[in-house]
Amino acid sequence: MKKRNLLTLALTALLVCSGCGGAQDSLEDGVLTIGMECAYPPYNWTETSQSEDNVKITDGQGYAYGYDVIVAKELAEYLDVTLEIKAISWDGLIPALESNTIDAIVAGMTDTPKRRNSISFSNEYYHSQMVIITKDVEEYKSFDSIDDFAGLKFIAQLGTVQADLIDSLGDSTSESYAGIVAGTHTKTYPEAFMALESNACDAVICEAPEAEQFLASHPTGYLDTVLEGNDDFVVSISVGVRKNDSSLQTKINEFLAGISEEQRQQWMQEAIASAPGATE
């Protein structure tokens, strides 16, 4: 009798402890809380007025919209949960995920080995090329390689893969050194484009959707050069989840598997057309 009780207690303890530090379910409360900057068009931005498309920012002012919001809304519908969006600075997104402030990051974030040390990622939900945006200078029109831009000052948003690429391209000790000058990166991409407009830098490296959105709102005076022929110039965007949240990661991947490339491109074009400063 005593042996049976001891065995029962041991099995019970084992079952209880099996959940400690293991997989968890972020959707137990029926809410999916997503973190994004709400300042990264066309992926995400803040609007002052409510519409049938945007989402109220939790614990903040305004409403979030953009490609990431479209994806997040579709994901929440697929999971049959309520969507909440929190506006969090870029450098605060991963800490917010680790501290359980949010359930996932849908913010135009690239899956990198460094970030994977802290969190896990879904399969990609968008991919694009990197683009160089400069003033409309006649000399630049013939440039088709990063090496052609040697000596020019480049910037991007701080903490992005584009900023890391610029730092390596501008570092003579790096194998990818291209002779460009790494400038002081800005906190957001809108600030980076403002720096370009004011001649505080010569060029901005961004993703193709951001370049398209910027050029749509600035139809004259600027050039775009697509960087090709190097895997470093390809950007793959994924959803960030906690390392122990394999359940949510699996569900997100199942959702993404059902979204065609055509649908993803359509959503992006909708976002670009609706982004701040977009022209009819």
Side-chain angles (χ1 to χ4, degrees), residues 42-87:
Y43 283 102
N44 55 77
W45 66 84
T46 301
E47 299 180 340
T48 56
S49 301
Q50 185 177 15
S51 72
E52 62 180 17
D53 297 319
N54 60 27
V55 176
K56 181 73 172 67
I57 298 173
T58 303
D59 302 326
Q61 296 182 340
Y63 303 84
Y65 194 54
Y67 181 77
D68 290 329
V69 177
I70 296 172
V71 172
K73 287 172 63 178
E74 293 288 337
L75 173 60
E77 182 177 344
Y78 175 83
L79 297 173
D80 193 23
V81 294
T82 300
L83 174 64
E84 286 188 351
I85 292 179
K86 290 194 174 185

Coordinates of all heavy atoms in Angstrom, one line a residue, residues 42-87:
P42 N 6.1 50.4 -44.6 CA 4.7 50.0 -44.6 C 4.4 48.7 -43.8 O 3.3 48.2 -43.9 CB 4.5 49.6 -46.1 CG 5.9 49.1 -46.5 CD 6.9 49.9 -45.8
Y43 N 5.4 48.3 -43.0 CA 5.1 47.1 -42.1 C 4.1 47.4 -41.0 O 3.2 46.7 -40.7 CB 6.4 46.5 -41.5 CG 7.2 45.7 -42.5 CD1 8.3 46.3 -43.1 CD2 6.8 44.4 -42.9 CE1 9.0 45.6 -44.1 CE2 7.5 43.7 -43.8 CZ 8.6 44.3 -44.4 OH 9.4 43.5 -45.3
N44 N 4.3 48.6 -40.4 CA 3.4 49.0 -39.3 C 3.5 50.5 -39.0 O 4.6 51.0 -39.2 CB 3.6 48.1 -38.0 CG 5.0 48.2 -37.6 OD1 5.5 49.1 -37.0 ND2 5.7 47.1 -37.8
W45 N 2.5 51.1 -38.7 CA 2.5 52.5 -38.3 C 1.3 52.9 -37.5 O 0.4 52.0 -37.2 CB 2.5 53.4 -39.6 CG 1.3 53.4 -40.4 CD1 0.2 54.1 -40.3 CD2 1.1 52.6 -41.6 NE1 -0.7 53.8 -41.3 CE2 -0.2 52.9 -42.1 CE3 1.9 51.6 -42.3 CZ2 -0.7 52.2 -43.2 CZ3 1.4 51.0 -43.4 CH2 0.1 51.3 -43.8
T46 N 1.2 54.1 -37.0 CA 0.2 54.6 -36.1 C -0.8 55.5 -36.8 O -0.3 56.4 -37.5 CB 0.7 55.3 -34.8 OG1 1.5 54.3 -34.1 CG2 -0.4 55.7 -33.9
E47 N -2.1 55.3 -36.7 CA -3.1 56.2 -37.2 C -3.9 56.9 -36.1 O -4.0 56.2 -35.0 CB -4.0 55.5 -38.2 CG -3.3 54.9 -39.4 CD -4.2 54.2 -40.4 OE1 -5.3 53.8 -39.9 OE2 -3.7 54.0 -41.5
T48 N -4.3 58.1 -36.3 CA -5.0 58.8 -35.2 C -6.5 58.5 -35.2 O -7.2 58.6 -34.1 CB -4.9 60.3 -35.3 OG1 -5.3 60.7 -36.6 CG2 -3.4 60.7 -35.2
S49 N -7.1 58.1 -36.3 CA -8.5 57.8 -36.4 C -8.8 56.3 -36.6 O -8.1 55.6 -37.3 CB -9.1 58.6 -37.5 OG -8.9 60.0 -37.4
Q50 N -9.9 55.8 -36.0 CA -10.2 54.4 -36.1 C -10.9 54.2 -37.5 O -11.6 55.0 -38.0 CB -11.2 54.0 -35.0 CG -11.6 52.6 -35.0 CD -12.5 52.2 -33.8 OE1 -13.1 53.1 -33.2 NE2 -12.6 50.9 -33.6
S51 N -10.6 53.0 -38.0 CA -11.2 52.6 -39.3 C -11.5 51.1 -39.1 O -11.2 50.4 -38.1 CB -10.2 52.8 -40.4 OG -9.2 51.8 -40.4
E52 N -12.2 50.5 -40.2 CA -12.6 49.1 -40.1 C -11.4 48.2 -40.3 O -11.4 47.0 -40.0 CB -13.6 48.8 -41.2 CG -13.1 49.0 -42.6 CD -14.2 48.7 -43.6 OE1 -15.4 48.7 -43.2 OE2 -13.8 48.6 -44.8
D53 N -10.2 48.8 -40.7 CA -9.0 48.0 -41.0 C -8.0 48.0 -39.8 O -7.3 47.0 -39.6 CB -8.4 48.4 -42.3 CG -9.3 48.3 -43.5 OD1 -9.9 47.2 -43.5 OD2 -9.3 49.1 -44.3
N54 N -7.8 49.2 -39.2 CA -6.8 49.2 -38.2 C -7.2 48.7 -36.8 O -8.4 48.3 -36.6 CB -6.3 50.7 -38.0 CG -7.4 51.7 -37.6 OD1 -8.3 51.3 -37.0 ND2 -7.2 52.9 -38.0
V55 N -6.3 48.6 -35.9 CA -6.5 48.0 -34.6 C -6.1 48.9 -33.5 O -5.0 49.5 -33.6 CB -5.7 46.7 -34.4 CG1 -5.9 46.1 -33.1 CG2 -6.2 45.7 -35.5
K56 N -6.9 49.1 -32.5 CA -6.6 50.0 -31.3 C -5.3 49.5 -30.7 O -5.1 48.3 -30.4 CB -7.7 50.0 -30.3 CG -7.5 50.9 -29.1 CD -7.6 52.4 -29.5 CE -7.6 53.3 -28.3 NZ -6.3 53.3 -27.6
I57 N -4.4 50.4 -30.4 CA -3.2 50.1 -29.7 C -3.4 50.0 -28.2 O -3.9 50.9 -27.6 CB -2.1 51.1 -29.9 CG1 -1.7 51.2 -31.4 CG2 -0.8 50.8 -29.1 CD1 -0.8 52.3 -31.8
T58 N -3.2 48.8 -27.6 CA -3.4 48.6 -26.2 C -2.5 49.4 -25.3 O -1.3 49.5 -25.6 CB -3.2 47.1 -25.9 OG1 -4.0 46.3 -26.7 CG2 -3.5 46.8 -24.4
D59 N -3.1 50.0 -24.3 CA -2.3 50.9 -23.4 C -1.6 52.0 -24.1 O -0.5 52.4 -23.7 CB -1.3 50.0 -22.6 CG -2.0 48.9 -21.8 OD1 -3.1 49.1 -21.3 OD2 -1.4 47.8 -21.7
G60 N -2.1 52.5 -25.2 CA -1.5 53.6 -25.9 C -2.5 54.4 -26.7 O -3.7 54.2 -26.6
Q61 N -2.0 55.4 -27.4 CA -2.8 56.2 -28.2 C -2.8 55.8 -29.6 O -1.7 55.5 -30.2 CB -2.4 57.7 -28.0 CG -2.6 58.2 -26.6 CD -2.2 59.7 -26.4 OE1 -1.5 60.2 -27.3 NE2 -2.7 60.3 -25.4
G62 N -3.9 55.9 -30.3 CA -3.9 55.7 -31.7 C -4.2 54.3 -32.1 O -4.6 53.4 -31.3
Y63 N -4.1 54.0 -33.4 CA -4.5 52.7 -34.0 C -3.4 52.2 -34.9 O -2.8 53.0 -35.6 CB -5.8 52.9 -34.8 CG -7.0 53.4 -33.9 CD1 -7.1 54.8 -33.7 CD2 -7.9 52.6 -33.3 CE1 -8.1 55.3 -32.9 CE2 -8.9 53.1 -32.5 CZ -9.0 54.4 -32.3 OH -10.0 54.9 -31.6
A64 N -3.1 51.0 -34.9 CA -2.1 50.4 -35.7 C -2.6 49.8 -37.0 O -3.7 49.3 -37.0 CB -1.4 49.3 -34.9
Y65 N -1.8 50.1 -38.0 CA -2.1 49.5 -39.3 C -0.8 49.2 -40.1 O 0.2 49.7 -39.7 CB -3.1 50.4 -40.1 CG -3.7 49.6 -41.3 CD1 -4.3 48.4 -41.1 CD2 -3.5 50.1 -42.6 CE1 -4.9 47.7 -42.2 CE2 -4.1 49.4 -43.7 CZ -4.7 48.2 -43.5 OH -5.2 47.5 -44.6
G66 N -0.9 48.5 -41.2 CA 0.2 48.1 -42.0 C 0.2 46.7 -42.3 O -0.7 45.9 -41.9
Y67 N 1.2 46.2 -43.0 CA 1.3 44.8 -43.4 C 1.3 43.9 -42.2 O 0.6 42.8 -42.2 CB 2.6 44.6 -44.3 CG 2.8 43.2 -44.7 CD1 2.0 42.7 -45.8 CD2 3.7 42.3 -44.1 CE1 2.2 41.4 -46.2 CE2 3.8 41.0 -44.5 CZ 3.1 40.6 -45.6 OH 3.2 39.3 -46.0
D68 N 2.1 44.2 -41.2 CA 2.1 43.4 -40.0 C 0.8 43.3 -39.3 O 0.4 42.2 -38.8 CB 3.1 43.9 -39.0 CG 4.6 43.8 -39.5 OD1 4.8 42.8 -40.2 OD2 5.4 44.6 -39.1
V69 N 0.0 44.4 -39.3 CA -1.3 44.3 -38.7 C -2.3 43.4 -39.5 O -3.1 42.7 -39.0 CB -1.9 45.8 -38.6 CG1 -3.3 45.7 -38.0 CG2 -1.0 46.6 -37.8
I70 N -2.2 43.5 -40.8 CA -3.0 42.6 -41.7 C -2.7 41.2 -41.4 O -3.6 40.4 -41.2 CB -2.7 42.9 -43.2 CG1 -3.2 44.4 -43.5 CG2 -3.5 41.9 -44.1 CD1 -2.8 44.8 -44.9
V71 N -1.4 40.8 -41.3 CA -1.0 39.5 -41.0 C -1.5 39.1 -39.6 O -2.0 38.0 -39.4 CB 0.5 39.3 -41.1 CG1 1.0 37.9 -40.6 CG2 1.0 39.5 -42.5
A72 N -1.3 40.0 -38.6 CA -1.7 39.7 -37.2 C -3.2 39.4 -37.1 O -3.7 38.5 -36.4 CB -1.3 40.8 -36.3
K73 N -4.0 40.2 -37.8 CA -5.5 40.1 -37.8 C -5.9 38.7 -38.4 O -6.7 38.0 -37.9 CB -6.1 41.2 -38.6 CG -6.1 42.5 -37.9 CD -6.6 43.7 -38.8 CE -8.0 43.5 -39.2 NZ -8.5 44.6 -40.0
E74 N -5.2 38.4 -39.5 CA -5.5 37.1 -40.2 C -5.1 35.9 -39.3 O -5.8 34.9 -39.2 CB -4.8 37.0 -41.5 CG -5.3 38.0 -42.6 CD -6.7 37.6 -43.1 OE1 -7.1 36.4 -43.0 OE2 -7.4 38.5 -43.6
L75 N -4.0 36.1 -38.6 CA -3.5 35.0 -37.7 C -4.5 34.9 -36.5 O -4.8 33.7 -36.1 CB -2.1 35.4 -37.2 CG -1.5 34.5 -36.1 CD1 -1.4 33.0 -36.6 CD2 -0.1 35.0 -35.6
A76 N -4.9 36.0 -35.9 CA -5.8 35.9 -34.8 C -7.1 35.2 -35.2 O -7.7 34.4 -34.4 CB -6.1 37.3 -34.2
E77 N -7.6 35.5 -36.4 CA -8.8 34.9 -36.9 C -8.6 33.4 -37.0 O -9.5 32.6 -36.7 CB -9.3 35.6 -38.2 CG -10.6 35.0 -38.7 CD -11.0 35.7 -40.0 OE1 -10.5 36.8 -40.3 OE2 -11.9 35.2 -40.7
Y78 N -7.5 33.0 -37.6 CA -7.2 31.6 -37.8 C -7.1 30.9 -36.4 O -7.6 29.7 -36.3 CB -5.8 31.5 -38.5 CG -5.3 30.1 -38.6 CD1 -5.8 29.3 -39.7 CD2 -4.4 29.5 -37.7 CE1 -5.3 28.0 -39.8 CE2 -3.9 28.3 -37.9 CZ -4.4 27.5 -38.9 OH -3.9 26.2 -39.0
L79 N -6.6 31.5 -35.4 CA -6.5 30.9 -34.1 C -7.7 31.1 -33.3 O -7.8 30.5 -32.2 CB -5.3 31.6 -33.3 CG -3.9 31.4 -34.0 CD1 -2.9 32.2 -33.2 CD2 -3.5 29.9 -34.0
D80 N -8.7 31.9 -33.8 CA -10.0 32.1 -33.1 C -9.7 32.7 -31.7 O -10.3 32.3 -30.7 CB -10.7 30.8 -32.9 CG -12.2 31.0 -32.5 OD1 -12.7 32.1 -32.8 OD2 -12.8 30.1 -31.9
V81 N -8.9 33.8 -31.7 CA -8.6 34.5 -30.5 C -8.8 36.0 -30.7 O -8.9 36.5 -31.9 CB -7.2 34.2 -30.0 CG1 -7.0 32.8 -29.5 CG2 -6.2 34.6 -31.0
T82 N -8.8 36.8 -29.6 CA -8.8 38.3 -29.7 C -7.4 38.8 -29.9 O -6.5 38.4 -29.3 CB -9.4 38.8 -28.5 OG1 -10.8 38.3 -28.3 CG2 -9.5 40.4 -28.5
L83 N -7.3 39.8 -30.8 CA -6.0 40.4 -31.1 C -5.8 41.6 -30.3 O -6.7 42.5 -30.3 CB -5.9 40.7 -32.6 CG -4.6 41.5 -33.0 CD1 -3.4 40.6 -32.8 CD2 -4.7 41.9 -34.5
E84 N -4.6 41.7 -29.7 CA -4.2 42.9 -29.0 C -2.8 43.3 -29.6 O -2.0 42.5 -29.9 CB -4.0 42.8 -27.5 CG -5.3 42.7 -26.8 CD -5.1 42.7 -25.2 OE1 -4.0 42.6 -24.8 OE2 -6.1 42.8 -24.5
I85 N -2.6 44.6 -29.8 CA -1.4 45.1 -30.3 C -0.8 46.1 -29.4 O -1.5 47.1 -28.9 CB -1.5 45.8 -31.7 CG1 -1.9 44.7 -32.8 CG2 -0.3 46.5 -32.2 CD1 -2.1 45.2 -34.1
K86 N 0.5 45.9 -29.0 CA 1.2 46.9 -28.2 C 2.3 47.5 -29.0 O 3.1 46.9 -29.7 CB 1.8 46.1 -26.9 CG 0.7 45.7 -26.0 CD 1.3 45.3 -24.6 CE 0.2 44.9 -23.6 NZ 0.8 44.6 -22.3
A87 N 2.4 48.9 -28.8 CA 3.5 49.6 -29.5 C 4.7 49.6 -28.6 O 4.7 50.1 -27.5 CB 3.0 51.1 -29.7

